[in-house]
Amino acid sequence: MHILDDAQALRAKVIQIADGLGGICNILETESCATRLRCLVSSPDLVDEAVLKQAGALGVIRRGRDIQVVCGVSSGRLKAELEKYLQQQGDADRDRSPGVPVHKVKKSLYSPFCGQIFDITKSKDAAFSEKMMGDGYLVIPDEGIAYAPENCKVSFTFPTGQAVGLDCEDGTEMMLHIGLNTAILEGKGFKLLVNDGDFVKKGDKLLEFDIQYIKEHVKSEECLAVFTGLGEDEEIVVTAEGRVNALEKIAEIISF
């Protein structure tokens, strides 16, 4: 095959992959590893696995909005060509794709907890589920430790030990809250490991908590990460699903 023919075949495959991922307007971010093309999409419901397999995908792995296309050792080349294709299409093609908003990924987020991750709208407390305090996510923990998800300053701690405020280096503000109505426990089942004003590094332990004690005394052990300073054009998109480990990439802050 001539070089020109090879380039044309690669472009055709990339166009088909983009279609299988729901169209260029549905693709928010692209990455690759040794054998997989990884894409963050706006709506996973638009992803068509049959089209991706017609384009040569050996398999498709879904983790929420994180779609992994198994394509062998050509993943790096496909990623580069896909990014080139998306850039060349520009805003005109995106405007012609109805019903799918164009987002910009502003920041990756990493889990402070180990356990099952959910969107914050699944919280059993309306103050959190309706985002009265801010957008975020929750984890049903299977380990009683909260870790610093990134380098930050401890902006506040609750005297009863169930919550910690964090100011991140880039200005992001967040609160980690352990359990619901846990203030009534008056500190029992909690061990704070930091103080107001402390500077902590990603992975440092912030507090420890007794999951079983919390489950026995309040309505939920869910652990929440609430982002209290987001702009009106920003929101949290959970990209992981199922069980997550602490410090695993699990969400994005996006703007639109």
Side-chain angles (χ1 to χ4, degrees):
M1 179 179 288
H2 295 296
I3 293 177
L4 179 58
D5 293 337
D6 183 59
Q8 291 173 337
L10 179 62
R11 173 53 66 96
K13 177 178 287 191
V14 162
I15 292 173
Q16 194 170 20
I17 288 173
D19 289 343
L21 289 168
I24 62 170
C25 199
N26 198 42
I27 303 170
L28 304 180
E29 183 178 352
T30 61
E31 296 178 1
S32 66
C33 59
T35 60
R36 300 178 187 179
L37 175 66
R38 302 181 60 178
C39 296
L40 176 67
V41 300
S42 177
S43 175
D45 292 338
L46 297 177
V47 175
D48 190 328
E49 295 186 23
V51 173
L52 291 172
K53 289 179 180 178
Q54 288 173 3
L58 303 175
V60 179
I61 301 171
R62 294 173 177 262
R63 294 179 177 173
R65 290 185 170 89
D66 182 14
I67 307 298
Q68 300 181 22
V69 183
V70 183
C71 48
V73 295
S74 63
S75 61
R77 190 180 179 198
L78 285 170
K79 170 184 177 290
E81 187 65 23
L82 177 59
E83 289 181 339
K84 181 180 178 181
Y85 172 66
L86 295 176
Q87 183 176 8
Q88 289 175 343
Q89 295 307 300
D91 292 336
D93 280 350
R94 291 176 183 268
D95 291 341
R96 287 197 291 268
S97 298
V100 181
V102 178
H103 299 304
K104 176 182 178 182
V105 178
K106 299 191 68 175
K107 179 176 181 176
S108 297
L109 302 176
Y110 301 85
S111 180
F113 312 106
C114 294
Q116 298 288 321
I117 189 164
F118 298 93
D119 189 273
I120 198 169
T121 58
K122 303 299 183 183
S123 175
K124 295 180 179 179
D125 189 318
F128 293 118
S129 66
E130 296 178 12
K131 304 182 183 182
M132 298 178 187
M133 302 176 66
D135 204 350
Y137 55 84
L138 69 87
V139 173
I140 304 299
D142 55 29
E143 179 190 57
I145 302 174
Y147 299 87
E150 55 187 284
N151 298 343
C152 49
K153 177 183 178 181
V154 178
S155 57
F156 66 84
T157 57
F158 278 25
T160 43
Q162 81 275 18
V164 176
L166 302 173
D167 288 340
C168 304
E169 291 182 333
D170 65 353
T172 304
E173 299 174 358
M174 63 185 302
M175 177 184 69
L176 306 182
H177 193 283
I178 312 302
L180 300 180
N181 301 325
T182 38
I184 66 172
L185 301 180
E186 298 181 339
K188 295 178 182 178
F190 296 95
K191 181 181 179 182
L192 271 172
L193 304 175
V194 293
N195 298 301
D196 293 10
D198 284 353
F199 288 90
V200 293
K201 295 182 179 180
K202 182 178 181 179
D204 287 349
K205 294 181 180 180
L206 302 174
L207 63 92
E208 298 175 350
F209 52 97
D210 187 328
I211 298 173
Q212 190 58 39
Y213 184 82
I214 294 171
K215 289 172 66 175
E216 291 174 354
H217 291 85
V218 298
K219 67 179 182 179
S220 177
E221 76 278 21
E222 64 186 54
C223 297
L224 298 117
V226 182
F227 294 79
T228 55
L230 295 182
E232 293 183 358
D233 64 339
E234 296 176 327
E235 65 180 48
I236 304 298
V237 174
V238 176
T239 58
E241 63 179 9
R243 189 186 183 280
V244 298
N245 291 313
L247 310 184
E248 180 180 337
K249 179 182 174 182
I250 44 80
E252 307 273 2
I253 297 179
I254 66 172
S255 62
F256 52 90

